[in-house]
Amino acid sequence: MSRQLHLNLNFLNAGTYGSAWRWPGGAPGDFADPAFYIRTARLAERATFDAVFLADNPALSDRPEYRPFQSLEPTILLAAIAAATERIGLIATISSTYNEPYNLARRIATLDHTSHGRAGWNVVTTADRQTAANFGQRGVQPHQDRYARAGEFTQVVKALWDSWEDDALIGDADTARFVDIGRVHRIDHEGTYFSVRGPLNVPRPPQGRPILVQAGGSEDGRELAAEHADAVFSVAHALADAEEYATDLARRARRFGRRRDDILIFPGLVTVLGSTEAEARRREEALWDLVPIEYGLGRLAGTLQIDPARLRLDEPLPADIPLPPDHNHTFFRGALTLAERGRLTVRQLIRAQGGGTGHRILIGTPEQVAESIEAWFRSGAVDGFNIMPDVIPSGFEDFAEHVVPALRRRGIFRSDYAGTMLRDHFGLSRPLSPHSRIGAEAVPA
Amino acid sequence: MSRQLHLNLNFLNAGTYGSAWRWPGGAPGDFADPAFYIRTARLAERATFDAVFLADNPALSDRPEYRPFQSLEPTILLAAIAAATERIGLIATISSTYNEPYNLARRIATLDHTSHGRAGWNVVTTADRQTAANFGQRGVQPHQDRYARAGEFTQVVKALWDSWEDDALIGDADTARFVDIGRVHRIDHEGTYFSVRGPLNVPRPPQGRPILVQAGGSEDGRELAAEHADAVFSVAHALADAEEYATDLARRARRFGRRRDDILIFPGLVTVLGSTEAEARRREEALWDLVPIEYGLGRLAGTLQIDPARLRLDEPLPADIPLPPDHNHTFFRGALTLAERGRLTVRQLIRAQGGGTGHRILIGTPEQVAESIEAWFRSGAVDGFNIMPDVIPSGFEDFAEHVVPALRRRGIFRSDYAGTMLRDHFGLSRPLSPHSRIGAEAVPA
């Protein structure tokens, strides 16, 4: 079978544009209404998407006076979605900075059991002051510390998922043997950030290990991805960026004994569709006109970590913006690069970012979008995309109805799911627990 | 309307008896199978139970070689149950010792949104060494510290639920006003254990505040219940114990400006049913015979925090067992009292505890059980029971089919739900956010 494209829905409440909630077709309360997420996830499943992906931040930080924001806790929302769907993957963003690995391993394992093998965890380190203030921190912890903790956190979570071998449950009522405790292992982790004895109190998840996703583009983020991730959500505004990223990730992965094929790469892709290119451009213009400029300015200032008063709408960015030490570097660098490449004014930059997103925006007909997706996919630099509709539901309905069939006609996207688990959709094999491997090796050939 | 009885299902995996999993009707994998919990919760809903209640402990600690244990993470499991039911309440046990209040407030608020107002949180402080070792603690924190943290934790969670006023969402697409941030409040909590700025990033839950449950019988536990709880899960082996507890709780509640009626009291009640008393006794005997004595002995030694080698099966308890400072005092005291009152040998004590539970066991016909429930209920000392079937499904099917109709005939238990939220089932009014109250008072009469 030829290599197949992967598509995830990056489900940002009413859609990616800051004005999406003002567009016809939705209701203001949708962002906190589980029924809205369930309806949309069902649509994504009918379009045979690999997964729905929920970004998250445990703070009220996206200027709620202007627009909806990520609100409901992702694992619980995904459990509700799991109950209303059968195949689509369910990826929850959870911060390694503000959680404990035992609790997190257990929640994701439970979601994997509840969904029969469709769970994934997107590891983020959460670099904003509002969140820090909700968790007793005076400020954001330094970048390197957050990633060191994230690496150790991920290692502990994997060990906990591996703590049960697949055949540990005996369940023999006659002999009263319930669990073979020789096949359930303590992890006895003693590290810099954590001391965790284990074992987990949840049997091995259906996927063995639920899918691990990583989304940071910094040095430390790439290292974490190279060592642990099954998939990365990247940022790439041009194919050259995506190629550089893929080459770099492959090089790093080799150092951990892994290959490029072991890690799927999905850049974010904002879509604005129209039945003609002119119609798509008019839609983008209308969406942009509805974004309050104060919102766009505030978002950009937040991304750059500078005082909004320093930004003049019809002038270029100030020349001397320093790299903020405790911040999201990917979107910081992305904004600077975009401004520089296009010689954009602040207003143009905000617009080029759809009023707030730091991801690439594609404006065009379904065929144009499908063509670009195919070109990037065939380059080998990406394995698919994290689709970010301009507006949900309308922009995603158009994607499902028109872009997905175009991709199928091109022979690069499935018409039906081949398996039942997210691992199957991603084409990744199910890992054995290292304890089981040791056991298997001990058996004489 | 006359005072009505409340019933919750205390859903302990295969049932309360250590041998429940060996009884016909279930499968060994049920304890970690969401479908089993969903089926049983639906049965509880058909029986118009107030809620399903999930105990929890984030550690593998109940001798898995002998019997099933609480495994799946409760909030996610309850989200799956919420999707498959419409009315029944959903109460999750979560430890205040091993979580952060912002995360917990958000998860329970999300469950409340997902279930349209059916969520509750049972605050526990988690007093065992296995759990401590999963969270980097050398030992269990002292009882008083755990409860001081639990009190502050609960206060922060309530403040976060109150941080959004009910009408904070404007959602006016024309004027681009999404949220009235004057009606979303920081909490600026600075305490001994937590520093939390808020506001929550989830709109006010449907119930205003989800239901707060407390389950400890110690001095500190009773104080926490008196100040914060909507309901308590208590331990009472005799009506006199329940009466003492109710009087004590009412006295404590007054000091916090609350009344006895503001707090529902539900003792745990293990049921073993038969169509005749003799049949029920035979069932109990058969269940007891299937409990491995090593399991019962280990559980008792754990409850008493002594070396199992100190216990002789056919002798009384040793005379000099000290109160363990960092342990669950309710079940410790309960075991000693039970042994003393009945002058029981160790073997008899283990049996009187159904092989492990510390709660009262009722063995008899549905009419006998209904009669006892009614007598306790009419005394005013309890408002209902936390029903703990000997075996799930069979023992709970019998309860739903035979005891529930008997209680309805006695005119003390509903035949249909009067409302949609857990607060409605419990007969508790929906609290306003204090911020809204201030606003309301400011309006001239």
Side-chain angles (χ1 to χ4, degrees), chain A residues 17-98:
Chain A
Y17 272 70
S19 52
W21 69 278
R22 303 176 70 186
W23 203 257
D30 280 350
F31 78 108
D33 181 359
F36 166 68
Y37 292 89
I38 289 170
R39 277 197 309 276
T40 307
R42 282 179 166 156
L43 175 59
E45 187 171 70
R46 286 197 299 276
T48 61
F49 266 50
D50 292 68
V52 288
F53 166 79
L54 291 175
D56 196 60
N57 200 31
L60 183 63
S61 55
D62 197 16
R63 296 169 188 77
E65 62 271 41
Y66 295 120
R67 68 161 295 176
F69 48 91
Q70 299 304 95
S71 168
L72 301 172
E73 195 283 322
T75 57
I76 292 176
L77 181 54
L78 290 173
I81 292 174
T85 56
E86 291 182 356
R87 295 296 187 90
I88 196 160
L90 310 160
I91 301 173
T93 298
I94 313 181
S95 172
S96 59
T97 303
Y98 301 112

Side-chain angles (χ1 to χ4, degrees), chain B residues 103-182:
Chain B
N103 287 337
L104 186 141
R106 204 173 161 219
R107 285 161 63 203
I108 297 290
T110 299
L111 184 61
D112 209 46
H113 281 284
T114 303
S115 64
H116 304 290
R118 297 189 277 145
W121 168 37
N122 177 37
V123 188
V124 295
T125 66
T126 313
D128 72 287
R129 288 181 204 143
Q130 290 96 326
T131 304
N134 288 335
F135 293 86
Q137 309 281 336
R138 293 209 170 274
V140 176
Q141 290 162 37
H143 191 276
Q144 219 173 345
D145 288 356
R146 291 202 319 275
Y147 274 90
R149 179 182 162 109
E152 190 182 325
F153 194 116
T154 307
Q155 193 187 325
V156 172
V157 167
K158 286 165 81 171
L160 287 167
W161 288 337
D162 286 339
S163 64
W164 281 65
E165 296 185 50
D166 282 313
D167 51 1
L169 180 67
I170 304 168
D172 184 342
D174 293 336
T175 61
R177 292 180 69 211
F178 189 67
V179 160
D180 179 353
I181 51 170

Side-chain angles (χ1 to χ4, degrees), chain B residues 14 26 43 56 101 122 153 160 203 225 292 321-322 350 358 380 409 442:
Chain B
L43 175 59
D56 197 60
N122 177 37
F153 194 116
L160 287 167
I321 304 175
I350 295 171
R409 283 193 300 273

Side-chain angles (χ1 to χ4, degrees), chain B residues 190-373:
Chain B
E190 296 286 344
T192 307
Y193 296 90
F194 306 107
S195 157
V196 180
R197 189 164 71 178
L200 201 60
N201 58 353
V202 180
R204 189 164 181 76
Q207 295 186 97
R209 295 180 197 148
I211 293 294
L212 280 172
V213 178
Q214 196 279 337
S218 69
E219 279 290 308
D220 295 327
R222 289 175 187 216
E223 284 293 295
L224 183 64
E227 185 172 359
H228 294 295
D230 297 306
V232 292
F233 290 155
S234 61
V235 178
H237 288 273
L239 184 52
D241 302 341
E243 284 167 342
E244 180 279 327
Y245 180 80
T247 306
D248 179 68
L249 191 64
R251 183 181 57 76
R252 291 174 195 264
R254 276 194 298 275
R255 282 197 281 99
F256 294 102
R258 307 180 73 209
R259 294 165 312 159
R260 162 73 181 86
D261 288 0
D262 295 332
I263 312 173
L264 300 168
I265 303 178
F266 308 135
L269 179 62
V270 182
T271 53
V272 185
L273 295 164
S275 55
T276 63
E277 192 179 324
E279 193 186 301
R281 295 206 172 278
R282 280 196 300 276
R283 179 178 171 100
E284 191 276 335
E285 188 140 350
L287 277 166
W288 163 249
D289 285 345
L290 290 173
V291 176
I293 191 66
E294 303 85 347
Y295 169 72
L297 206 59
R299 271 291 292 243
L300 181 61
T303 300
L304 301 175
Q305 291 284 292
I306 61 174
D307 183 345
R310 288 194 62 201
L311 297 173
R312 317 251 155 216
L313 279 171
D314 296 306
E315 290 178 20
L317 287 178
D320 56 344
I321 304 175
L323 182 73
D326 56 358
H327 191 59
N328 186 317
H329 291 180
T330 308
F331 291 120
F332 176 87
R333 290 215 177 84
L336 289 193
T337 306
L338 205 60
E340 204 171 291
R341 279 188 193 157
R343 297 170 179 279
L344 305 179
T345 65
V346 165
R347 191 190 303 273
Q348 288 167 329
L349 176 60
I350 295 171
R351 179 168 185 172
Q353 296 200 308
T357 177
H359 287 278
R360 175 177 169 228
I361 302 177
L362 248 180
I363 304 164
T365 65
E367 279 303 329
Q368 286 173 324
V369 169
E371 189 182 333
S372 173
I373 286 177

Side-chain angles (χ1 to χ4, degrees), chain A residues 175-217:
Chain A
T175 61
R177 292 180 69 211
F178 189 67
V179 160
D180 179 353
I181 51 171
R183 293 190 179 276
V184 179
H185 306 271
R186 283 165 59 160
I187 71 168
D188 289 323
H189 175 89
E190 297 284 346
T192 307
Y193 296 90
F194 305 107
S195 157
V196 181
R197 189 163 71 178
L200 201 61
N201 58 353
V202 180
R204 190 164 180 77
Q207 293 186 98
R209 294 181 197 146
I211 293 294
L212 279 173
V213 179
Q214 196 278 338

